[in-house]
Amino acid sequence: MPKMKTSKSAAKRFKKTGTGKLKRMKAYKSHILTKKSAKRKRNLRKSTIADATNVKNMKKILPYI
């Protein structure tokens, strides 16, 4: 069996936590920031855990992460 290739685009966006969950950064923080409140922008800085519905597919394209 040949080695599986890691999806590099996904590898840059996701990190694995100690318990094996996938950590990601929140979206909507790159532009059009003037109309967003300071509280909303502050909360977008924090990372979150990837949703369970996506994890099965994500682990397939991230075999070694």
Side-chain angles (χ1 to χ4, degrees), residues 24-58:
R24 67 170 179 87
M25 290 306 290
K26 291 182 181 174
Y28 307 111
K29 184 66 172 72
S30 57
H31 62 105
I32 316 175
L33 298 172
T34 50
K35 62 175 81 168
K36 294 172 187 159
S37 69
K39 180 182 178 181
R40 185 172 164 194
K41 288 186 280 191
R42 187 167 57 247
N43 285 327
L44 288 172
R45 275 186 229 145
K46 301 170 186 171
S47 60
T48 54
I49 301 298
D51 193 65
T53 56
N54 302 320
V55 170
K56 186 180 174 188
N57 290 327
M58 295 309 301

Side-chain angles (χ1 to χ4, degrees), residues 10-26:
K12 292 168 189 174
R13 289 169 172 81
F14 296 92
K15 299 282 175 260
K16 193 175 268 189
T17 64
T19 55
K21 294 177 181 172
L22 291 173
K23 190 168 76 166
R24 67 170 179 87
M25 290 306 290
K26 291 182 181 174

